[in-house]
Amino acid sequence: MDTAAEDTSLSGPRIDPLLADRVTEALLLAGLPVGYGGHGPGVRLRPARPHDDSDDCAKLIALHWEPGPRLAAAAAMEEPGQPAAAARRVVTAGMQNALAEFLPAFGIEVVAGRLDGETRVGGAGGPAPATGPAASAPAGSRPQDLGIDADVVDAVRRTAALAGLPVADHLHAPGITLAPCRPVDDGDDTTGVADLRWNPSRRLAAAPAEQAARARTAVQDAMRHAFGAVLGACGLDLRWRRPAALPYQLRAFGLVERPPVRR
């Protein structure tokens, strides 16, 4: 399998191809895009680069999140404090934090580093979750069939594209899913509002093993934690709510008044 490994130069450091394949497989099982050959949005793999002379990062793999091309292009034209550039930093940091949260559940060792540094992996610390072929899933309900407002659906898709994240076409597909929100109380009007969740790949979602179930939960929790910052930075109006005796909802209402990248 040819991985997303990037060399610093033809004679520069190389990453362990077996570890790179293991990490890439975990990312694909999580349902995330991988930027092969340093192209496209998603996770890019490269040799870790030392922060200073005391940083021994030999043989470590650095994981970098590349946002969608529109956000990347807009950020490249701005100063660091301007909206698109600031949004890109939030997206990159939020997604790299999510990777550090869920990769250990796939048996990948995440190496602690500087708080403002890259996410690094140093080896496979345990077995990978056992998975089988992707099970065929019935086409679930689409957001518009569930009463979610068309403007909300469009806002989620636009901001997810800026972040470089896929949006599921229906509730059983991998990516960001949009489900209706259950009201907290009688005065809680959730008409047209979406509750955002994450589906991993069907190969992981269909695996019955306990380890696969732990990996699914780790991915889903890490991605929902990331959504608030990542999609919010891209212009989505999001709010957390906790109905009594029900899981937290991450509610999407539409675009904020001034998104970082306009049409």
PDB file of all heavy atoms in Angstrom, residues 180-191 193 195 241-247 249 251:
ATOM      1  N   PRO A 180     -32.319  15.124  13.424  1.00  0.00           N
ATOM      2  CA  PRO A 180     -33.176  16.099  14.103  1.00  0.00           C
ATOM      3  C   PRO A 180     -32.819  16.201  15.581  1.00  0.00           C
ATOM      4  O   PRO A 180     -32.309  15.253  16.179  1.00  0.00           O
ATOM      5  CB  PRO A 180     -34.588  15.527  13.925  1.00  0.00           C
ATOM      6  CG  PRO A 180     -34.479  14.419  12.954  1.00  0.00           C
ATOM      7  CD  PRO A 180     -33.071  13.959  12.944  1.00  0.00           C
ATOM      8  N   CYS A 181     -33.102  17.345  16.186  1.00  0.00           N
ATOM      9  CA  CYS A 181     -32.856  17.556  17.616  1.00  0.00           C
ATOM     10  C   CYS A 181     -34.131  17.301  18.405  1.00  0.00           C
ATOM     11  O   CYS A 181     -35.196  17.828  18.057  1.00  0.00           O
ATOM     12  CB  CYS A 181     -32.397  18.994  17.876  1.00  0.00           C
ATOM     13  SG  CYS A 181     -30.759  19.353  17.272  1.00  0.00           S
ATOM     14  N   ARG A 182     -34.013  16.538  19.476  1.00  0.00           N
ATOM     15  CA  ARG A 182     -35.145  16.364  20.381  1.00  0.00           C
ATOM     16  C   ARG A 182     -35.203  17.548  21.337  1.00  0.00           C
ATOM     17  O   ARG A 182     -34.176  17.958  21.900  1.00  0.00           O
ATOM     18  CB  ARG A 182     -35.000  15.056  21.159  1.00  0.00           C
ATOM     19  CG  ARG A 182     -35.047  13.835  20.270  1.00  0.00           C
ATOM     20  CD  ARG A 182     -34.941  12.559  21.080  1.00  0.00           C
ATOM     21  NE  ARG A 182     -36.049  12.392  21.992  1.00  0.00           N
ATOM     22  CZ  ARG A 182     -36.229  11.320  22.762  1.00  0.00           C
ATOM     23  NH1 ARG A 182     -35.336  10.334  22.710  1.00  0.00           N
ATOM     24  NH2 ARG A 182     -37.261  11.231  23.566  1.00  0.00           N
ATOM     25  N   PRO A 183     -36.369  18.147  21.550  1.00  0.00           N
ATOM     26  CA  PRO A 183     -36.462  19.316  22.435  1.00  0.00           C
ATOM     27  C   PRO A 183     -36.073  18.986  23.869  1.00  0.00           C
ATOM     28  O   PRO A 183     -36.274  17.871  24.351  1.00  0.00           O
ATOM     29  CB  PRO A 183     -37.943  19.707  22.347  1.00  0.00           C
ATOM     30  CG  PRO A 183     -38.445  19.063  21.092  1.00  0.00           C
ATOM     31  CD  PRO A 183     -37.651  17.811  20.923  1.00  0.00           C
ATOM     32  N   VAL A 184     -35.480  19.966  24.534  1.00  0.00           N
ATOM     33  CA  VAL A 184     -35.124  19.828  25.950  1.00  0.00           C
ATOM     34  C   VAL A 184     -36.370  19.924  26.823  1.00  0.00           C
ATOM     35  O   VAL A 184     -36.513  19.217  27.813  1.00  0.00           O
ATOM     36  CB  VAL A 184     -34.103  20.910  26.344  1.00  0.00           C
ATOM     37  CG1 VAL A 184     -33.834  20.888  27.837  1.00  0.00           C
ATOM     38  CG2 VAL A 184     -32.812  20.719  25.576  1.00  0.00           C
ATOM     39  N   ASP A 185     -37.290  20.839  26.457  1.00  0.00           N
ATOM     40  CA  ASP A 185     -38.519  21.031  27.212  1.00  0.00           C
ATOM     41  C   ASP A 185     -39.586  21.550  26.262  1.00  0.00           C
ATOM     42  O   ASP A 185     -39.354  21.697  25.052  1.00  0.00           O
ATOM     43  CB  ASP A 185     -38.293  21.992  28.384  1.00  0.00           C
ATOM     44  CG  ASP A 185     -37.605  23.283  27.958  1.00  0.00           C
ATOM     45  OD1 ASP A 185     -38.000  23.851  26.907  1.00  0.00           O
ATOM     46  OD2 ASP A 185     -36.672  23.727  28.654  1.00  0.00           O
ATOM     47  N   ASP A 186     -40.751  21.857  26.806  1.00  0.00           N
ATOM     48  CA  ASP A 186     -41.874  22.284  25.964  1.00  0.00           C
ATOM     49  C   ASP A 186     -41.593  23.592  25.244  1.00  0.00           C
ATOM     50  O   ASP A 186     -42.166  23.856  24.188  1.00  0.00           O
ATOM     51  CB  ASP A 186     -43.147  22.424  26.814  1.00  0.00           C
ATOM     52  CG  ASP A 186     -43.657  21.082  27.315  1.00  0.00           C
ATOM     53  OD1 ASP A 186     -43.271  20.047  26.713  1.00  0.00           O
ATOM     54  OD2 ASP A 186     -44.415  21.064  28.306  1.00  0.00           O
ATOM     55  N   GLY A 187     -40.732  24.437  25.811  1.00  0.00           N
ATOM     56  CA  GLY A 187     -40.438  25.720  25.179  1.00  0.00           C
ATOM     57  C   GLY A 187     -39.245  25.685  24.248  1.00  0.00           C
ATOM     58  O   GLY A 187     -38.840  26.720  23.719  1.00  0.00           O
ATOM     59  N   ASP A 188     -38.685  24.517  24.025  1.00  0.00           N
ATOM     60  CA  ASP A 188     -37.478  24.380  23.206  1.00  0.00           C
ATOM     61  C   ASP A 188     -37.875  24.064  21.768  1.00  0.00           C
ATOM     62  O   ASP A 188     -38.201  22.916  21.435  1.00  0.00           O
ATOM     63  CB  ASP A 188     -36.596  23.268  23.785  1.00  0.00           C
ATOM     64  CG  ASP A 188     -35.276  23.140  23.052  1.00  0.00           C
ATOM     65  OD1 ASP A 188     -34.841  24.118  22.418  1.00  0.00           O
ATOM     66  OD2 ASP A 188     -34.677  22.047  23.116  1.00  0.00           O
ATOM     67  N   ASP A 189     -37.841  25.073  20.911  1.00  0.00           N
ATOM     68  CA  ASP A 189     -38.223  24.898  19.510  1.00  0.00           C
ATOM     69  C   ASP A 189     -36.995  24.468  18.703  1.00  0.00           C
ATOM     70  O   ASP A 189     -36.067  25.252  18.501  1.00  0.00           O
ATOM     71  CB  ASP A 189     -38.789  26.208  18.955  1.00  0.00           C
ATOM     72  CG  ASP A 189     -39.278  26.055  17.515  1.00  0.00           C
ATOM     73  OD1 ASP A 189     -39.288  24.916  17.000  1.00  0.00           O
ATOM     74  OD2 ASP A 189     -39.648  27.082  16.902  1.00  0.00           O
ATOM     75  N   THR A 190     -36.991  23.239  18.248  1.00  0.00           N
ATOM     76  CA  THR A 190     -35.857  22.715  17.473  1.00  0.00           C
ATOM     77  C   THR A 190     -36.223  22.490  16.008  1.00  0.00           C
ATOM     78  O   THR A 190     -35.530  21.752  15.301  1.00  0.00           O
ATOM     79  CB  THR A 190     -35.364  21.386  18.082  1.00  0.00           C
ATOM     80  OG1 THR A 190     -36.441  20.432  18.054  1.00  0.00           O
ATOM     81  CG2 THR A 190     -34.891  21.587  19.506  1.00  0.00           C
ATOM     82  N   THR A 191     -37.263  23.132  15.553  1.00  0.00           N
ATOM     83  CA  THR A 191     -37.706  22.969  14.168  1.00  0.00           C
ATOM     84  C   THR A 191     -36.600  23.356  13.198  1.00  0.00           C
ATOM     85  O   THR A 191     -36.065  24.466  13.253  1.00  0.00           O
ATOM     86  CB  THR A 191     -38.947  23.841  13.897  1.00  0.00           C
ATOM     87  OG1 THR A 191     -39.971  23.520  14.844  1.00  0.00           O
ATOM     88  CG2 THR A 191     -39.457  23.599  12.482  1.00  0.00           C
ATOM     89  N   VAL A 193     -33.559  22.416  13.042  1.00  0.00           N
ATOM     90  CA  VAL A 193     -32.202  22.405  13.589  1.00  0.00           C
ATOM     91  C   VAL A 193     -31.607  21.010  13.447  1.00  0.00           C
ATOM     92  O   VAL A 193     -32.310  20.003  13.564  1.00  0.00           O
ATOM     93  CB  VAL A 193     -32.219  22.845  15.066  1.00  0.00           C
ATOM     94  CG1 VAL A 193     -30.822  22.807  15.666  1.00  0.00           C
ATOM     95  CG2 VAL A 193     -32.817  24.232  15.191  1.00  0.00           C
ATOM     96  N   ASP A 195     -28.740  18.066  14.674  1.00  0.00           N
ATOM     97  CA  ASP A 195     -27.820  17.554  15.681  1.00  0.00           C
ATOM     98  C   ASP A 195     -26.682  16.864  14.932  1.00  0.00           C
ATOM     99  O   ASP A 195     -26.907  15.925  14.161  1.00  0.00           O
ATOM    100  CB  ASP A 195     -28.542  16.559  16.595  1.00  0.00           C
ATOM    101  CG  ASP A 195     -27.632  15.977  17.669  1.00  0.00           C
ATOM    102  OD1 ASP A 195     -26.567  16.573  17.927  1.00  0.00           O
ATOM    103  OD2 ASP A 195     -27.988  14.928  18.233  1.00  0.00           O
ATOM    104  N   ARG A 241     -26.360  21.423  23.757  1.00  0.00           N
ATOM    105  CA  ARG A 241     -27.506  21.321  24.678  1.00  0.00           C
ATOM    106  C   ARG A 241     -27.553  19.914  25.243  1.00  0.00           C
ATOM    107  O   ARG A 241     -27.179  18.952  24.583  1.00  0.00           O
ATOM    108  CB  ARG A 241     -28.831  21.624  23.959  1.00  0.00           C
ATOM    109  CG  ARG A 241     -29.005  23.059  23.520  1.00  0.00           C
ATOM    110  CD  ARG A 241     -29.006  24.035  24.696  1.00  0.00           C
ATOM    111  NE  ARG A 241     -30.070  23.815  25.649  1.00  0.00           N
ATOM    112  CZ  ARG A 241     -31.269  24.395  25.570  1.00  0.00           C
ATOM    113  NH1 ARG A 241     -31.553  25.220  24.580  1.00  0.00           N
ATOM    114  NH2 ARG A 241     -32.182  24.156  26.490  1.00  0.00           N
ATOM    115  N   ARG A 242     -28.067  19.774  26.450  1.00  0.00           N
ATOM    116  CA  ARG A 242     -28.177  18.466  27.100  1.00  0.00           C
ATOM    117  C   ARG A 242     -29.613  18.234  27.535  1.00  0.00           C
ATOM    118  O   ARG A 242     -30.045  18.701  28.585  1.00  0.00           O
ATOM    119  CB  ARG A 242     -27.247  18.380  28.312  1.00  0.00           C
ATOM    120  CG  ARG A 242     -27.432  17.088  29.126  1.00  0.00           C
ATOM    121  CD  ARG A 242     -26.653  15.948  28.515  1.00  0.00           C
ATOM    122  NE  ARG A 242     -26.904  14.681  29.198  1.00  0.00           N
ATOM    123  CZ  ARG A 242     -26.116  14.177  30.152  1.00  0.00           C
ATOM    124  NH1 ARG A 242     -25.047  14.847  30.544  1.00  0.00           N
ATOM    125  NH2 ARG A 242     -26.388  13.012  30.695  1.00  0.00           N
ATOM    126  N   PRO A 243     -30.404  17.521  26.724  1.00  0.00           N
ATOM    127  CA  PRO A 243     -31.748  17.154  27.181  1.00  0.00           C
ATOM    128  C   PRO A 243     -31.664  16.207  28.375  1.00  0.00           C
ATOM    129  O   PRO A 243     -30.705  15.441  28.505  1.00  0.00           O
ATOM    130  CB  PRO A 243     -32.351  16.439  25.963  1.00  0.00           C
ATOM    131  CG  PRO A 243     -31.496  16.837  24.811  1.00  0.00           C
ATOM    132  CD  PRO A 243     -30.125  17.056  25.377  1.00  0.00           C
ATOM    133  N   ALA A 244     -32.662  16.250  29.253  1.00  0.00           N
ATOM    134  CA  ALA A 244     -32.668  15.399  30.431  1.00  0.00           C
ATOM    135  C   ALA A 244     -32.621  13.931  30.021  1.00  0.00           C
ATOM    136  O   ALA A 244     -33.392  13.491  29.166  1.00  0.00           O
ATOM    137  CB  ALA A 244     -33.921  15.683  31.262  1.00  0.00           C
ATOM    138  N   ALA A 245     -31.703  13.187  30.632  1.00  0.00           N
ATOM    139  CA  ALA A 245     -31.573  11.741  30.426  1.00  0.00           C
ATOM    140  C   ALA A 245     -31.268  11.362  28.979  1.00  0.00           C
ATOM    141  O   ALA A 245     -31.488  10.235  28.572  1.00  0.00           O
ATOM    142  CB  ALA A 245     -32.839  11.012  30.896  1.00  0.00           C
ATOM    143  N   LEU A 246     -30.767  12.322  28.201  1.00  0.00           N
ATOM    144  CA  LEU A 246     -30.402  12.047  26.808  1.00  0.00           C
ATOM    145  C   LEU A 246     -28.963  12.518  26.569  1.00  0.00           C
ATOM    146  O   LEU A 246     -28.445  13.351  27.316  1.00  0.00           O
ATOM    147  CB  LEU A 246     -31.346  12.777  25.846  1.00  0.00           C
ATOM    148  CG  LEU A 246     -32.784  12.267  25.773  1.00  0.00           C
ATOM    149  CD1 LEU A 246     -33.613  13.204  24.910  1.00  0.00           C
ATOM    150  CD2 LEU A 246     -32.833  10.850  25.227  1.00  0.00           C
ATOM    151  N   PRO A 247     -28.288  12.002  25.536  1.00  0.00           N
ATOM    152  CA  PRO A 247     -26.924  12.463  25.245  1.00  0.00           C
ATOM    153  C   PRO A 247     -26.905  13.939  24.860  1.00  0.00           C
ATOM    154  O   PRO A 247     -27.917  14.517  24.444  1.00  0.00           O
ATOM    155  CB  PRO A 247     -26.502  11.580  24.061  1.00  0.00           C
ATOM    156  CG  PRO A 247     -27.437  10.414  24.076  1.00  0.00           C
ATOM    157  CD  PRO A 247     -28.723  10.922  24.641  1.00  0.00           C
ATOM    158  N   GLN A 249     -26.455  17.187  22.715  1.00  0.00           N
ATOM    159  CA  GLN A 249     -26.703  17.516  21.317  1.00  0.00           C
ATOM    160  C   GLN A 249     -25.761  18.647  20.899  1.00  0.00           C
ATOM    161  O   GLN A 249     -25.538  19.581  21.664  1.00  0.00           O
ATOM    162  CB  GLN A 249     -28.148  17.977  21.108  1.00  0.00           C
ATOM    163  CG  GLN A 249     -29.190  16.919  21.393  1.00  0.00           C
ATOM    164  CD  GLN A 249     -30.602  17.476  21.279  1.00  0.00           C
ATOM    165  OE1 GLN A 249     -30.802  18.689  21.147  1.00  0.00           O
ATOM    166  NE2 GLN A 249     -31.580  16.590  21.347  1.00  0.00           N
ATOM    167  N   ARG A 251     -25.959  21.304  18.283  1.00  0.00           N
ATOM    168  CA  ARG A 251     -26.972  21.839  17.381  1.00  0.00           C
ATOM    169  C   ARG A 251     -26.387  22.826  16.380  1.00  0.00           C
ATOM    170  O   ARG A 251     -25.651  23.731  16.750  1.00  0.00           O
ATOM    171  CB  ARG A 251     -28.080  22.526  18.185  1.00  0.00           C
ATOM    172  CG  ARG A 251     -28.823  21.597  19.115  1.00  0.00           C
ATOM    173  CD  ARG A 251     -29.904  22.322  19.876  1.00  0.00           C
ATOM    174  NE  ARG A 251     -30.710  21.407  20.687  1.00  0.00           N
ATOM    175  CZ  ARG A 251     -31.761  21.769  21.403  1.00  0.00           C
ATOM    176  NH1 ARG A 251     -32.133  23.069  21.411  1.00  0.00           N
ATOM    177  NH2 ARG A 251     -32.440  20.884  22.101  1.00  0.00           N
TER     178      ARG A 251
END
